[in-house]
Amino acid sequence: MSHAHSKSRVVFASSVLTAGALLLAGCSSPADDGGEATGGNEDVTLTVATSQPETTPNYYCGVELLKERLEEADIGFTVDLFPASQLGPDTERFAAVQAGDIDIDLQGASALSATYEPIGVVDAAYVFNDVDHAFEWIDNESSDLFAGFNEETGARIVDGWFFGNRTFTTKDTPIESPDDLEGLPIRFPDSPQFLANAEAMGVTPVAVANEEIYVSLQQGIAVGQENPIVATHSQSFDEILKVASLNNHQVGIHWLVVSEKTYDKMSDEQAELLEETIHGIRAENRDCVDEETNKILDEYRADDSFTVVEEEDVDKEAFIEKAEEFFNSYYDGERLELYTAIRGMTE
């Protein structure tokens, strides 16, 4: 796929498709999908949804690769992509995954925690030191959590794709330590785990919807926000915010969630290929995110009106210590056990 594709700026309608359109898009039975495909596999149409627009790496280096590779395998897959929350916000889409109306969705752990609370822990500030730590946990330590998630929700988490480290961008305040955040109104997503992250770092959170961030920054309701650099740039927040501080307080992971009902309509060969393809994309998706992030940061560094607080200039240990102190008292039971296990991997 050419890198030029990442430059496209296709605008999607923001309205959610009707229930009838959703059913037509991806919920037909194998018989309705056209009968038997090559090698004895039934034809299967997969509906793949995400909140990500086409201009972000998790689309053009993620779900678009998934579509290409599954269809090129010629074992009966047709993949329909619905980016930019076309099939509704996170909570509505996940309910559709549970019902089998959406086959695959990219979801953040904070959104999923509304249905299965323990998984919110993996979105805690500084629970992972870096993306390598996150992937090591996924590969070696995640099975119990994912099994509990599957039992509770009727959906499987197959893997996680990196979409960037969440960092602070502000109008004019460099963030080098937790003290720099005191009294600053910073936009955070309005979910319990994200608001807990704000409290853990000493932030005054401004909880507004994603589509309201730009206006809230324009009007001074918030003087900063936190997002991966690629998201900050793709949504044009950097037109207003001129300081990017690479404190990297959260490893952004989109979880590849597959409906259990989707497995019911796939053959063993198709299910194996689906999971192998999702796993195989993870590393190149990460490289793509890193490449785009570094490209944007280089543009910031070359811009005299912009300031980049480099990672080595941030007192990350102070942030980690503050977050650990908070979450060790905020969590209890299963969530505390999970949190301490993940943090214990770094000792």
Side-chain angles (χ1 to χ4, degrees):
M1 170 136 342
S2 69
H3 187 70
H5 189 79
S6 70
K7 293 292 189 181
S8 65
R9 292 296 186 269
V10 179
V11 178
F12 284 88
S14 60
S15 60
V16 176
L17 295 181
T18 64
L22 176 56
L23 290 170
L24 288 172
C27 307
S28 52
S29 68
D32 292 337
D33 283 342
E36 196 166 290
T38 304
N41 295 297
E42 297 288 340
D43 286 340
V44 174
T45 297
L46 298 179
T47 299
V48 180
T50 175
S51 62
Q52 297 292 288
E54 282 194 318
T55 55
T56 55
N58 267 20
Y59 183 84
Y60 58 80
C61 291
V63 294
E64 200 165 61
L65 294 182
L66 182 66
K67 173 181 171 67
E68 289 178 0
R69 292 173 188 180
L70 291 180
E71 292 182 345
E72 287 172 358
D74 196 25
I75 61 169
F77 279 124
T78 299
V79 181
D80 296 330
L81 301 181
F82 295 89
S85 298
Q86 289 182 72
L87 299 187
D90 289 341
T91 52
E92 291 181 14
R93 295 200 319 275
F94 184 61
V97 171
Q98 291 178 287
D101 296 336
I102 292 175
D103 295 292
I104 304 170
D105 200 275
L106 273 67
Q107 288 270 346
S110 292
L112 294 174
S113 69
T115 306
Y116 185 66
E117 188 179 43
I119 200 169
V121 171
V122 300
D123 260 356
Y126 295 106
V127 66
F128 296 116
N129 284 1
D130 51 35
V131 67
D132 289 328
H133 181 191
F135 284 169
E136 181 184 357
W137 176 80
I138 292 171
D139 292 340
N140 300 298
E141 305 292 339
S142 64
S143 58
D144 287 346
L145 181 69
F146 290 177
F149 178 86
N150 176 242
E151 183 177 354
E152 182 74 19
T153 68
R156 299 187 198 183
I157 296 176
V158 174
D159 208 333
W161 289 346
F162 182 55
F163 71 95
N165 290 309
R166 299 184 82 96
T167 64
F168 289 114
T169 45
T170 57
K171 288 187 176 181
D172 54 20
T173 305
I175 308 299
E176 297 179 354
S177 75
D179 293 342
D180 296 325
L181 291 168
E182 186 174 352
L184 285 182
I186 304 289
R187 184 269 175 178
F188 270 73
D190 188 11
S191 75
Q193 184 58 60
F194 276 112
L195 296 179
N197 288 349
E199 188 175 353
M201 293 183 285
V203 175
T204 302
V206 176
V208 300
N210 186 72
E211 57 269 23
E212 298 171 356
I213 297 176
Y214 194 94
V215 172
S216 72
L217 295 170
Q218 277 185 319
Q219 296 177 347
I221 297 169
V223 299
Q225 58 94 45
E226 55 86 56
N227 252 312
I229 292 296
V230 290
T232 296
H233 184 64
S234 69
Q235 297 180 78
S236 301
F237 302 147
D238 49 9
E239 293 177 352
I240 301 170
L241 306 176
K242 297 300 180 181
V243 180
S245 302
L246 305 184
N247 64 303
N248 299 341
H249 55 270
Q250 186 180 334
V251 177
I253 299 288
H254 280 141
W255 302 98
L256 277 293
V257 183
V258 182
S259 175
E260 198 64 47
K261 290 180 171 60
T262 300
Y263 283 93
D264 293 339
K265 68 183 181 181
M266 292 189 295
S267 68
D268 290 345
E269 182 185 14
Q270 289 169 328
E272 182 179 2
L273 177 66
L274 174 63
E275 294 195 352
E276 285 179 353
T277 305
I278 288 172
H279 294 318
I281 288 171
R282 189 178 79 176
E284 58 190 300
N285 172 261
R286 176 188 177 176
D287 289 343
C288 185
V289 171
D290 286 341
E291 178 184 349
E292 186 66 16
T293 299
N294 290 331
K295 179 182 176 182
I296 295 166
L297 286 172
D298 284 344
E299 292 173 359
Y300 290 169
R301 294 176 182 117
D303 184 345
D304 290 339
S305 71
F306 216 99
T307 299
V308 176
V309 179
E310 304 292 348
E311 186 175 3
E312 58 266 25
D313 295 323
V314 174
D315 189 352
K316 190 172 181 179
E317 289 304 314
F319 274 109
I320 291 174
E321 182 178 346
K322 189 175 181 69
E324 285 183 336
E325 181 180 0
F326 175 84
F327 286 119
N328 279 322
S329 60
Y330 176 80
Y331 291 134
D332 58 17
E334 183 180 354
R335 292 192 299 166
L336 180 59
E337 183 179 346
L338 175 60
Y339 177 78
T340 55
I342 295 174
R343 293 304 304 148
M345 293 174 65
T346 66
E347 295 176 355

